[in-house]
Amino acid sequence: MNPKIILELIDLQKSYGDLSVLKGVNFRVREGELVSIIGPSGSGKSSMLRCCNLLEQPTGGQIVFDGHDITREGVNINRVRQDMGMVFQQFNLYPHLTALGNVALALRCVKKLGKAEAHEQAMAALEQVGLAHKAQAYPAQLSGGQQQRVGIARAVALKPKIILFDEPTSALDPELVSSVLGVMRELRGTGVTMLVVTHEMGFARDVSDRVIFMDGGQVAADDTPDRVFSGTGSDRLATFLSRFHGEQG
Ligand SMILES: Nc1ncnc2c1ncn2[C@@H]1O[C@H](COP(=O)(O)OP(=O)(O)OP(=O)(O)O)[C@@H](O)[C@H]1O
Ligand SMILES: [Mg+2]
């Protein structure tokens, strides 16, 4: 039997004023999957992620998360966000708190844990991303890649049902990208469900269970990495992929 569907978008639509950016997006994510989203700039990838955790209000369609339609009126947004982690392009760490403090604060605020328990679980999350030795460092004392790994630890510590990533490596210097992608690869091995918007085509091809190609506010392809990266069946996909060929080893 297939694992259960944890997130389903049904005819999701989003407009900003007159500008329609999501024109009926449909896809599903099952428990334990890593699904990558690729597509040109402006195709609606960030808007789609931001609708999923209700940072943006969809203008049509449904988002079913863990069996509940979270686009209904009266939904408890805070409850939804407890179960849905988010890792952004900018790391959004508090500069006046240590790595441990940043992760522990999330546990205290969201999970209402006491100090000792929050610190213990924060430490375990930092260990998972290979940063236990930097627990007492402040963000300014960490590389961009290390800061992003703290951001990932903060999401993982809350044990959400899914983690949404929006271009987690695109603010990093090239030599720091692989450490973050490495942590994400390892997370996948532990069964964390992940939906990842990325421009890292090698990562999307090698690590994903499925790859979704978004174009013009719609899902233009949703298939295995091998089939999507063959680029056959869609001129726009082939054109999009051809832009990356020069960048790949
Ligand atoms: N808050 C907003 N108000 C108005 N227009 C917006 C807003 N956010 C995004 N848009 C527009 O919606 C469209 C889709 O933007 P979005 O950020 O979702 O694309 P994207 O696929 O994530 O692009 P990128 O790869 O550059 O991050 C763009 O035309 C953008 O200008
Ligand atoms: Mg974006």
Side-chain angles (χ1 to χ4, degrees):
M1 212 182 78
N2 283 329
K4 110 175 181 193
I5 295 166
I6 193 78
L7 181 68
E8 179 168 20
L9 274 52
I10 305 167
D11 194 28
L12 185 71
Q13 297 168 38
K14 174 69 187 173
S15 301
Y16 301 103
D18 291 342
L19 182 68
S20 164
V21 295
L22 299 179
K23 301 169 187 171
V25 172
N26 294 281
F27 67 82
R28 295 166 161 184
V29 181
R30 293 181 185 275
E31 257 176 357
E33 274 187 325
L34 191 160
V35 176
S36 290
I37 314 260
I38 61 173
S41 182
S43 57
K45 305 178 300 295
S46 295
S47 300
M48 182 276 293
L49 278 194
R50 291 168 61 83
C51 283
C52 286
N53 67 1
L54 303 174
L55 284 171
E56 295 284 356
Q57 191 60 42
T59 38
Q62 287 168 297
I63 299 169
V64 182
F65 177 50
D66 200 22
H68 303 282
D69 177 2
I70 60 170
T71 51
R72 270 181 309 113
E73 234 165 88
V75 148
N76 183 340
I77 292 183
N78 291 326
R79 188 67 229 282
V80 170
R81 292 197 187 136
Q82 277 190 36
D83 288 332
M84 208 185 267
M86 181 98 194
V87 175
F88 300 91
Q89 183 175 338
Q90 297 304 334
F91 326 120
N92 298 334
L93 300 179
Y94 290 108
H96 62 288
L97 293 177
T98 61
L100 184 71
N102 268 280
V103 181
L105 182 68
L107 284 161
R108 296 192 71 176
C109 292
V110 177
K111 296 266 169 174
K112 311 288 179 217
L113 297 186
K115 195 171 179 185
E117 209 181 341
H119 275 220
E120 192 178 310
Q121 293 188 20
M123 204 58 203
L126 286 174
E127 261 163 44
Q128 246 188 306
V129 302
L131 280 182
H133 64 297
K134 294 287 185 185
Q136 299 308 329
Y138 289 88
Q141 300 169 320
L142 298 172
S143 73
Q146 290 170 335
Q147 290 183 53
Q148 187 59 297
R149 282 149 67 195
V150 175
I152 294 173
R154 181 175 54 187
V156 168
L158 300 173
K159 299 190 171 62
K161 294 189 170 127
I162 189 168
I163 304 181
L164 314 178
F165 294 80
D166 194 357
E167 298 192 32
T169 60
S170 53
L172 299 177
D173 292 335
E175 69 272 20
L176 301 176
V177 168
S178 66
S179 68
V180 171
L181 295 180
V183 163
M184 293 170 67
R185 262 174 221 264
E186 274 171 36
L187 275 185
R188 184 199 174 208
T190 67
V192 176
T193 309
M194 298 191 263
L195 182 60
V196 184
V197 171
T198 185
H199 284 131
E200 294 294 331
M201 294 300 138
F203 174 83
R205 192 183 47 206
D206 297 345
V207 184
S208 310
D209 294 288
R210 266 186 16 253
V211 176
I212 291 173
F213 172 58
M214 274 186 74
D215 189 32
Q218 286 180 316
V219 171
D222 177 352
D223 213 328
T224 61
D226 281 352
R227 281 200 285 253
V228 169
F229 283 98
S230 75
T232 51
S234 158
D235 288 348
R236 305 203 56 152
L237 176 55
T239 305
F240 174 75
L241 292 174
S242 70
R243 275 186 244 155
F244 289 92
H245 282 155
E247 295 172 22
Q248 282 179 328

